[in-house]
Amino acid sequence: MNGYHANIPAGSLKRLCDEFKKYNQISPELFDTYHVKRGLRNSDGTGVLAGLTRICNVHGYLINEGEKMPIEGELIYRGINVKEIVKGCQKDNRFGFEEVIWLLLFGRLPNKDQLEAFNAILGELRELPPYFTEDVLMKAPSPNIMNKMGRAVLALYSYDDNPEDTSIENVLSQSIKLIAKMPTLMVHAYQVKRKNFDHDTMFFHPLEPAHSTAESILATMRPDKQFTDEEAKLLDICLILHAEHGGGNNSTFSCRCLSSTGTDTYSAISAAIGSLKGPRHGGANLKVMEMMEYIKKGVSDWEDDEEVSAFLEKLLKKEAGDRSGLIYGMGHAVYTISDPRAVILKENARKLAEKKGMLDEFKLIESVERLAPAAFAKVKNNNKYICANVDLYSGMVYKMLGMPPELFTPLFAVARIPGWCAHRIEEITTANRIMRPAYKAISQPLEYTPLDQR
Ligand code: COA
């Protein structure tokens, strides 16, 4: 093919790759020689200290006389245990994501009047600018909603009269608008994807400002706009649990890194979306559901622990599944004995699994959680703690809510943007240094050779 559609011929590409491989290897031992903190981790797996934050505490171990001691995980938003936030909202039978947004942005829980006013503001701001869907989302459609959302956030720069101003007032205003619009961006990008890639019907329901974020997502996603209160409350819990996870998680760190340069809000948030998309980060919830399909097909008796364990060992040995050697939904960089988000989600999802006739699948996930640590210890000969992380259950919850798999990670982005914004504001107002770590150069000096002598 010519012009725009031209491709590098396969033979040339192979030669280019071979050329690249000749000069671009770095042997793993060199990382130890130069004491490189791979993945910005210390040798005991703890993260390199990169900053201070008042926003969140992800608590997964204690250090006792230099030794890492495993503990039950805790997730603390602005000093308050997320378990208590969920409990408090359930006690009053109300939605909680909006008060979590307020808590993360401002630092304290809103009072009744503040919350009511904030809900009204968010409801009004969910609307996209006129013709944004036609001009931005429908043009150059993408099969990947995260890609489209990242581009849509960048495009919103052009609809902002004051995009570069990094004063607190302006960044706060940009943040609240982006937080409110993210669900609409997700749903509209999904509709465009349906039309262009699934050859299905697009539908855009009018938004209902009185809806909570969870209700608005369910109403706009479903052709008949119908959902139950139980479904909306479960989605609300997912949003609460995914809203924030400390400054060091990759997408938040990306957002803080870009923010440290003084760049605009749209650039910093679209970078965070790009980071979250990765399968080692937010993309894992999708990988869990793919993995569960492999397990369902590869295990004949889902209640037979031995058979499930044997399959998990095959996954670890790269003999089954996507051959990555990973059991997705297990393990965490900070949590050791438990990830509180997985615990809360599991507790709240069981009832709906029963109602939706998906209890067998739910129990199979529980078996993976129960049996994976022993399989991991056996295959890897490693005594590292690996517990179920939030992604083991979130994909299942989204599936029960009728969400298509391509929205699993975008839903995470919708939930996490308050955390990103809170950290961006904290970075701008407190850190005041461009992030600039070092890379040790290990190349050897080389003479420049004139072209006719190479
Ligand atoms: N399945 C298989 N092996 C795993 C594993 C898992 N779920 N979790 C960790 N490991 C292995 C790693 O492959 C590595 O093995 P290696 O030394 O042979 O390379 C070793 O344990 C240490 O891994 P490391 O990446 O340092 O551990 P970590 O605790 O920092 O990793 C995760 C955290 C989340 C990246 C990792 O547990 C993982 O990849 N999990 C699966 C993906 C997932 O569920 N991600 C969502 C996170 S919320």
Side-chain angles (χ1 to χ4, degrees):
M1 262 191 248
N2 295 324
Y4 173 72
H5 292 288
N7 228 330
I8 303 171
S12 306
L13 188 57
K14 161 108 185 38
R15 281 192 293 281
L16 289 175
C17 286
D18 291 343
E19 191 67 10
F20 170 84
K21 285 179 197 161
K22 269 194 266 176
Y23 309 114
N24 287 283
Q25 307 298 326
I26 298 180
S27 75
E29 304 83 68
L30 283 179
F31 287 90
D32 294 334
T33 308
Y34 293 111
H35 309 291
V36 175
K37 305 217 164 171
R38 293 180 87 167
L40 296 182
R41 305 292 183 82
N42 300 307
S43 55
D44 61 0
T46 57
V48 168
L49 194 59
L52 299 175
T53 182
R54 287 192 185 280
I55 300 165
C56 178
N57 186 7
V58 182
H59 197 36
Y61 53 81
L62 294 173
I63 300 288
N64 186 8
E65 300 193 354
E67 295 280 323
K68 205 167 152 182
M69 307 282 291
I71 55 165
E72 298 286 351
E74 286 188 347
L75 177 57
I76 318 277
Y77 292 167
R78 297 282 192 179
I80 305 173
N81 196 314
V82 76
K83 216 163 52 178
E84 299 305 319
I85 298 176
V86 171
K87 238 196 255 169
C89 294
Q90 284 182 327
K91 193 166 151 270
D92 299 347
N93 190 24
R94 60 188 175 79
F95 292 96
F97 181 56
E98 292 70 22
E99 80 173 39
V100 165
I101 300 172
W102 178 287
L103 175 69
L104 293 172
L105 288 179
F106 301 107
R108 290 287 181 272
L109 288 168
N111 65 30
K112 228 172 155 201
D113 292 345
Q114 287 170 327
L115 185 58
E116 256 174 45
F118 192 53
N119 282 341
I121 289 173
L122 288 175
E124 289 303 326
L125 290 176
R126 267 184 214 128
E127 208 69 65
L128 299 178
Y131 302 107
F132 186 87
T133 299
E134 293 84 342
D135 294 343
V136 176
L137 298 177
M138 288 186 186
K139 298 261 169 73
S142 174
N144 187 292
I145 314 296
M146 290 294 276
N147 170 277
K148 194 78 229 194
M149 283 166 80
R151 284 192 280 150
V153 166
L154 272 181
L156 282 169
Y157 178 103
S158 311
Y159 294 76
D160 185 334
D161 295 335
N162 192 18
E164 294 287 348
D165 179 354
T166 56
S167 65
I168 306 182
E169 293 81 356
N170 196 49
V171 177
L172 206 48
S173 152
Q174 290 172 327
S175 299
I176 295 169
K177 287 178 186 163
L178 276 176
I179 291 168
K181 290 183 191 342
M182 278 290 268
T184 322
L185 289 180
M186 174 185 75
V187 173
H188 285 207
Y190 170 66
Q191 295 297 343
V192 173
K193 186 250 164 191
R194 268 163 62 92
K195 174 184 177 290
N196 286 281
F197 298 91
D198 309 336
H199 308 291
D200 216 329
T201 319
M202 283 195 298
F203 54 87
F204 298 99
H205 295 314
L207 291 163
E208 177 54 67
H211 275 159
S212 67
T213 308
E215 290 174 309
S216 180
I217 293 170
L218 290 174
T220 50
M221 272 301 293
R222 297 189 173 174
D224 61 1
K225 301 195 245 174
Q226 298 304 306
F227 57 88
T228 65
D229 187 56
E230 185 183 7
E231 288 177 315
K233 293 275 164 56
L234 186 58
L235 181 56
D236 182 62
I237 291 177
C238 285
L239 297 174
I240 294 174
L241 295 176
H242 285 85
E244 162 59 2
H245 215 226
N249 76 81
N250 198 291
S251 55
T252 303
F253 191 65
S254 305
C255 179
R256 288 196 79 129
C257 186
L258 267 79
S259 297
S260 80
T261 70
T263 194
D264 67 280
T265 298
Y266 305 95
S267 299
I269 298 299
S270 69
I273 294 173
S275 155
L276 190 73
K277 179 172 169 288
R280 285 183 179 166
H281 192 11
N285 57 16
L286 188 56
K287 291 301 246 173
V288 168
M289 294 317 278
E290 274 172 28
M291 178 187 79
M292 290 311 297
E293 288 306 311
Y294 285 119
I295 298 178
K296 281 175 356 193
K297 283 193 194 112
V299 173
S300 56
D301 181 359
W302 297 2
E303 289 184 6
D304 180 344
D305 280 2
E306 267 182 42
E307 207 190 340
V308 175
S309 292
F311 196 85
L312 293 175
E313 287 174 27
K314 276 197 202 167
L315 288 176
L316 290 164
K317 290 180 196 157
K318 305 187 183 178
E319 292 167 5
D322 70 355
R323 319 273 155 168
S324 64
L326 291 175
I327 300 178
Y328 292 101
M330 295 298 301
H332 195 269
V334 179
Y335 298 127
T336 51
I337 296 179
S338 61
D339 173 342
R341 303 166 301 170
V343 175
I344 297 171
L345 214 47
K346 182 175 149 180
E347 275 168 17
N348 286 280
R350 177 180 282 277
K351 238 194 283 156
L352 194 64
E354 268 172 37
K355 281 195 188 150
K356 299 258 174 184
M358 292 166 80
L359 200 55
D360 286 352
E361 198 172 337
F362 186 82
K363 283 184 181 164
L364 184 61
I365 296 186
E366 282 184 315
S367 297
V368 171
E369 174 178 9
R370 189 164 41 81
L371 302 169
F376 180 81
K378 185 172 162 194
V379 173
K380 293 267 189 179
N381 198 17
N382 188 330
N383 59 4
K384 178 180 162 66
Y385 277 85
I386 63 161
C387 61
N389 64 53
V390 67
D391 292 317
L392 191 67
Y393 288 97
S394 63
M396 172 78 191
V397 168
Y398 297 145
K399 191 175 165 187
M400 292 193 301
L401 294 176
M403 291 290 167
E406 58 267 49
L407 284 193
F408 292 2
T409 315
L411 278 162
F412 192 162
V414 165
R416 183 55 63 83
I417 186 176
W420 294 333
C421 291
H423 280 277
R424 169 169 166 75
I425 296 169
E426 191 175 60
E427 183 69 32
I428 294 172
T429 54
T430 64
N432 202 23
R433 281 283 184 283
I434 185 168
M435 285 190 193
R436 208 292 182 200
Y439 275 69
K440 162 92 186 143
I442 52 166
S443 51
Q444 297 301 317
L446 206 59
E447 290 278 314
Y448 179 80
T449 320
L451 187 58
D452 58 3
Q453 291 168 32
R454 289 176 214 163

Coordinates of all heavy atoms in Angstrom, one line a residue, residues 38 41 45 68 245 278-285 287-288 315-316 324-335 339 341 372 376 380 382 384-387 389-392 412, ligand 1:
R38 N 15.2 -0.9 41.0 CA 14.3 -1.3 39.8 C 12.9 -1.1 40.3 O 12.5 -1.5 41.4 CB 14.5 -2.7 39.4 CG 15.9 -2.9 38.8 CD 16.1 -4.4 38.4 NE 15.5 -4.6 37.1 CZ 15.8 -5.7 36.4 NH1 16.5 -6.7 36.9 NH2 15.3 -5.9 35.2
R41 N 11.9 0.5 43.7 CA 11.7 -0.3 44.9 C 13.0 -0.5 45.7 O 14.0 -0.7 45.0 CB 11.1 -1.7 44.6 CG 9.9 -1.8 43.8 CD 8.7 -1.3 44.5 NE 7.7 -1.5 43.5 CZ 7.1 -2.7 43.3 NH1 7.4 -3.7 44.2 NH2 6.2 -3.0 42.4
G45 N 11.4 -4.7 48.7 CA 10.2 -4.6 47.9 C 9.4 -3.4 48.3 O 8.4 -3.0 47.6
K68 N 10.3 -6.9 57.4 CA 9.0 -6.6 57.0 C 8.0 -7.5 57.7 O 8.1 -8.8 57.5 CB 8.9 -6.8 55.5 CG 7.9 -6.0 54.8 CD 8.2 -6.0 53.3 CE 6.9 -5.9 52.5 NZ 7.2 -5.9 51.0
H245 N -5.3 5.7 45.9 CA -4.4 4.6 46.4 C -3.0 5.1 46.6 O -2.0 4.5 46.2 CB -4.4 3.4 45.5 CG -4.3 2.1 46.3 ND1 -3.5 1.1 45.9 CD2 -4.9 1.7 47.4 CE1 -3.6 0.1 46.7 NE2 -4.4 0.4 47.7
G278 N -2.3 0.1 31.6 CA -1.4 -1.0 31.5 C -1.9 -2.2 32.3 O -2.5 -2.0 33.4
P279 N -1.6 -3.4 31.8 CA -2.1 -4.6 32.5 C -1.5 -4.9 33.8 O -2.0 -5.6 34.6 CB -1.7 -5.8 31.5 CG -0.7 -5.2 30.6 CD -0.9 -3.7 30.5
R280 N -0.3 -4.2 34.1 CA 0.2 -4.4 35.5 C -0.5 -3.4 36.4 O -0.2 -3.4 37.6 CB 1.7 -4.2 35.5 CG 2.5 -5.3 34.9 CD 3.9 -5.0 35.0 NE 4.7 -6.1 34.5 CZ 6.0 -6.1 34.2 NH1 6.6 -4.9 34.4 NH2 6.6 -7.1 33.7
H281 N -1.3 -2.5 35.9 CA -2.0 -1.5 36.8 C -3.5 -1.7 36.6 O -4.0 -2.8 36.9 CB -1.4 -0.2 36.4 CG -1.8 1.0 37.3 ND1 -2.3 0.8 38.5 CD2 -1.6 2.3 37.1 CE1 -2.5 2.0 39.1 NE2 -2.1 2.9 38.3
G282 N -4.2 -0.7 36.1 CA -5.6 -0.9 36.1 C -6.1 -1.9 35.1 O -7.2 -2.4 35.2
G283 N -5.3 -2.2 34.1 CA -5.7 -3.2 33.1 C -5.8 -4.6 33.6 O -6.3 -5.5 32.9
A284 N -5.4 -4.8 34.9 CA -5.4 -6.2 35.4 C -6.8 -6.7 35.6 O -7.0 -7.9 35.5 CB -4.7 -6.2 36.8
N285 N -7.8 -5.8 35.8 CA -9.2 -6.3 36.1 C -9.7 -7.1 34.8 O -10.4 -8.1 34.9 CB -10.2 -5.3 36.6 CG -10.3 -4.1 35.7 OD1 -9.9 -4.1 34.6 ND2 -10.9 -3.0 36.3
K287 N -7.7 -8.5 32.6 CA -6.8 -9.8 32.6 C -7.4 -10.8 33.5 O -7.3 -12.0 33.2 CB -5.4 -9.5 32.9 CG -4.6 -8.6 31.9 CD -4.6 -9.2 30.6 CE -3.3 -9.6 30.0 NZ -3.4 -10.4 28.8
V288 N -7.9 -10.4 34.6 CA -8.5 -11.4 35.6 C -9.7 -12.2 34.9 O -9.7 -13.4 35.0 CB -9.0 -10.7 36.9 CG1 -9.9 -11.7 37.7 CG2 -7.9 -10.2 37.7
L315 N -0.6 -22.0 35.2 CA -0.5 -20.6 34.9 C 0.8 -20.0 35.3 O 1.5 -19.3 34.5 CB -1.6 -19.8 35.6 CG -3.1 -20.0 35.2 CD1 -4.0 -19.3 36.1 CD2 -3.3 -19.5 33.7
L316 N 1.3 -20.4 36.5 CA 2.5 -19.9 37.0 C 3.7 -20.4 36.2 O 4.7 -19.7 36.0 CB 2.7 -20.3 38.5 CG 1.8 -19.6 39.4 CD1 1.7 -20.3 40.8 CD2 2.2 -18.1 39.6
S324 N 1.9 -15.5 30.6 CA 2.7 -14.5 31.3 C 3.3 -15.0 32.6 O 4.3 -14.4 33.1 CB 1.8 -13.3 31.6 OG 0.9 -13.7 32.6
G325 N 2.8 -16.1 33.1 CA 3.3 -16.7 34.3 C 2.6 -16.0 35.5 O 3.0 -16.3 36.7
L326 N 1.7 -15.1 35.3 CA 1.0 -14.4 36.4 C -0.4 -15.0 36.7 O -1.1 -15.4 35.8 CB 0.8 -12.9 36.0 CG 2.1 -12.0 35.9 CD1 1.7 -10.7 35.4 CD2 2.8 -11.9 37.3
I327 N -0.7 -15.0 38.0 CA -2.1 -15.2 38.3 C -2.6 -13.8 38.6 O -2.3 -13.2 39.6 CB -2.2 -16.1 39.6 CG1 -1.6 -17.4 39.4 CG2 -3.7 -16.2 40.0 CD1 -1.6 -18.4 40.6
Y328 N -3.4 -13.3 37.6 CA -3.9 -11.9 37.7 C -4.9 -11.9 38.9 O -5.6 -12.8 39.2 CB -4.6 -11.5 36.4 CG -3.6 -11.4 35.3 CD1 -3.5 -12.4 34.3 CD2 -2.8 -10.3 35.2 CE1 -2.6 -12.3 33.3 CE2 -1.9 -10.2 34.2 CZ -1.8 -11.2 33.2 OH -0.9 -11.1 32.2
G329 N -4.9 -10.7 39.5 CA -5.8 -10.5 40.7 C -5.2 -10.9 42.0 O -5.8 -10.8 43.0
M330 N -3.9 -11.5 41.9 CA -3.2 -11.9 43.1 C -1.9 -11.1 43.2 O -1.3 -10.8 42.2 CB -2.9 -13.4 43.1 CG -4.1 -14.3 43.1 SD -5.1 -14.3 44.5 CE -4.0 -14.7 45.9
G331 N -1.6 -10.8 44.5 CA -0.3 -10.1 44.7 C -0.5 -8.6 44.7 O -1.4 -8.0 44.1
H332 N 0.3 -7.9 45.5 CA 0.3 -6.5 45.6 C 1.6 -5.9 46.1 O 2.3 -6.6 46.9 CB -0.9 -6.0 46.5 CG -1.2 -4.6 46.3 ND1 -0.5 -3.6 47.0 CD2 -1.9 -3.9 45.4 CE1 -1.0 -2.4 46.6 NE2 -1.8 -2.6 45.6
A333 N 2.0 -4.8 45.6 CA 3.3 -4.2 45.9 C 3.3 -3.8 47.4 O 4.4 -3.8 48.0 CB 3.5 -2.9 45.1
V334 N 2.2 -3.4 48.0 CA 2.2 -3.0 49.4 C 1.4 -4.0 50.3 O 2.0 -4.4 51.4 CB 1.5 -1.6 49.5 CG1 1.5 -1.2 51.0 CG2 2.2 -0.6 48.7
Y335 N 0.3 -4.4 49.9 CA -0.5 -5.3 50.8 C 0.1 -6.7 50.9 O 0.7 -7.2 49.9 CB -1.9 -5.5 50.3 CG -2.7 -4.2 50.3 CD1 -3.4 -3.8 49.1 CD2 -2.8 -3.4 51.4 CE1 -4.1 -2.6 49.1 CE2 -3.5 -2.2 51.4 CZ -4.2 -1.8 50.2 OH -4.9 -0.6 50.2
D339 N -5.8 -7.3 50.9 CA -6.1 -6.0 50.3 C -7.5 -5.6 50.7 O -8.5 -6.3 50.4 CB -6.1 -6.2 48.8 CG -6.5 -4.9 48.0 OD1 -7.2 -4.0 48.6 OD2 -6.2 -4.8 46.8
R341 N -9.7 -3.6 49.9 CA -10.7 -3.3 48.8 C -11.2 -4.7 48.4 O -12.5 -4.8 48.1 CB -10.0 -2.6 47.7 CG -9.3 -1.3 48.1 CD -8.4 -0.8 47.0 NE -7.3 -1.7 46.7 CZ -6.5 -1.5 45.7 NH1 -6.6 -0.5 44.9 NH2 -5.5 -2.4 45.4
A372 N -4.3 -20.0 45.4 CA -3.1 -19.4 44.7 C -1.9 -19.2 45.5 O -0.8 -19.5 45.0 CB -3.5 -18.0 44.0
F376 N 1.6 -20.7 44.3 CA 2.7 -19.7 44.1 C 4.0 -20.1 44.9 O 5.1 -20.2 44.3 CB 2.3 -18.3 44.6 CG 3.3 -17.2 44.4 CD1 3.5 -16.6 43.2 CD2 4.1 -16.8 45.5 CE1 4.5 -15.6 43.0 CE2 5.1 -15.8 45.4 CZ 5.2 -15.2 44.1
K380 N 7.1 -21.2 42.7 CA 8.2 -20.2 42.7 C 9.2 -20.4 43.8 O 10.2 -19.7 43.9 CB 7.6 -18.8 42.9 CG 6.7 -18.3 41.8 CD 7.5 -17.5 40.8 CE 6.7 -16.8 39.8 NZ 7.5 -16.0 38.9
N382 N 9.0 -19.6 46.8 CA 9.1 -18.2 47.3 C 8.2 -18.0 48.5 O 7.0 -18.5 48.4 CB 8.7 -17.3 46.1 CG 9.0 -15.9 46.4 OD1 8.9 -15.4 47.5 ND2 9.3 -15.1 45.3
K384 N 7.1 -15.2 49.6 CA 6.4 -13.9 49.5 C 4.9 -14.0 49.7 O 4.3 -15.0 49.2 CB 6.7 -13.4 48.1 CG 6.1 -12.0 47.7 CD 6.5 -11.7 46.3 CE 5.6 -10.6 45.7 NZ 5.8 -9.3 46.3
Y385 N 4.4 -13.1 50.5 CA 2.9 -13.1 50.7 C 2.2 -12.7 49.4 O 2.6 -11.6 48.9 CB 2.5 -12.2 51.8 CG 2.7 -12.8 53.2 CD1 3.9 -12.7 53.8 CD2 1.6 -13.4 53.8 CE1 4.1 -13.3 55.1 CE2 1.8 -13.9 55.1 CZ 3.0 -13.9 55.7 OH 3.2 -14.4 56.9
I386 N 1.3 -13.5 48.9 CA 0.4 -12.9 47.9 C -1.0 -13.1 48.2 O -1.5 -14.2 48.4 CB 0.8 -13.4 46.4 CG1 0.5 -14.9 46.2 CG2 2.1 -13.0 45.9 CD1 0.4 -15.2 44.7
C387 N -1.7 -12.0 48.3 CA -3.2 -12.0 48.7 C -4.0 -11.6 47.5 O -3.4 -11.0 46.5 CB -3.4 -11.1 49.8 SG -3.0 -9.3 49.5
N389 N -5.9 -9.2 45.3 CA -6.1 -7.7 45.2 C -7.4 -7.4 44.6 O -8.2 -8.2 44.2 CB -4.9 -7.1 44.4 CG -4.9 -7.6 42.9 OD1 -5.9 -7.5 42.2 ND2 -3.7 -8.1 42.5
V390 N -7.7 -6.1 44.6 CA -9.1 -5.6 44.3 C -9.5 -6.1 42.9 O -10.7 -6.4 42.7 CB -9.1 -4.1 44.4 CG1 -8.3 -3.4 43.3 CG2 -10.5 -3.5 44.3
D391 N -8.6 -6.3 42.0 CA -9.0 -6.7 40.6 C -9.5 -8.1 40.5 O -10.2 -8.4 39.6 CB -7.8 -6.5 39.7 CG -7.4 -5.1 39.5 OD1 -8.3 -4.3 39.4 OD2 -6.2 -4.7 39.6
L392 N -9.2 -8.9 41.5 CA -9.7 -10.3 41.5 C -11.3 -10.3 41.5 O -11.9 -11.1 40.9 CB -9.2 -11.1 42.6 CG -9.5 -12.6 42.5 CD1 -8.7 -13.2 41.3 CD2 -9.2 -13.4 43.8
F412 N -12.4 2.1 36.3 CA -11.4 2.4 37.3 C -10.9 3.8 37.1 O -10.8 4.6 38.1 CB -10.2 1.4 37.0 CG -9.2 1.3 38.1 CD1 -8.3 0.2 38.1 CD2 -9.0 2.3 39.0 CE1 -7.3 0.1 39.0 CE2 -8.0 2.2 40.0 CZ -7.1 1.0 40.0
Ligands
COA1 N1 1.4 -14.2 39.8 C1 2.6 -14.8 39.5 N2 3.8 -14.3 40.0 C2 3.7 -13.2 40.7 C3 2.5 -12.6 41.1 C4 1.3 -13.2 40.6 N3 0.1 -12.6 40.8 N4 2.7 -11.5 41.9 C5 4.0 -11.4 42.0 N5 4.6 -12.4 41.3 C6 6.0 -12.7 41.2 C7 6.7 -11.8 40.2 O1 6.5 -12.3 38.9 C8 8.1 -11.8 40.6 O2 8.7 -13.1 40.2 P1 10.2 -13.1 39.7 O3 11.0 -12.7 40.8 O4 10.3 -14.5 39.3 O5 10.2 -12.1 38.5 C9 8.0 -11.9 42.1 O6 6.7 -12.4 42.4 C10 8.0 -10.5 42.8 O7 7.3 -9.6 42.0 P2 7.2 -8.1 42.1 O8 6.6 -7.5 40.9 O9 8.4 -7.5 42.7 O10 6.1 -8.1 43.3 P3 5.1 -7.0 43.6 O11 4.6 -7.4 44.9 O12 5.7 -5.7 43.6 O13 4.1 -7.1 42.4 C11 2.1 -6.9 41.2 C12 2.9 -6.5 42.5 C13 0.7 -6.4 41.4 C14 2.7 -6.1 40.0 C15 2.2 -8.4 41.0 O14 1.7 -9.0 42.2 C16 1.4 -8.8 39.8 O15 1.9 -8.7 38.7 N6 0.1 -9.3 40.0 C17 -0.7 -9.7 38.9 C18 -1.3 -8.5 38.2 C19 -2.4 -7.8 39.1 O16 -3.2 -8.5 39.6 N7 -2.3 -6.5 39.1 C20 -3.2 -5.7 39.9 C21 -2.6 -5.0 41.0 S1 -3.8 -4.1 42.0

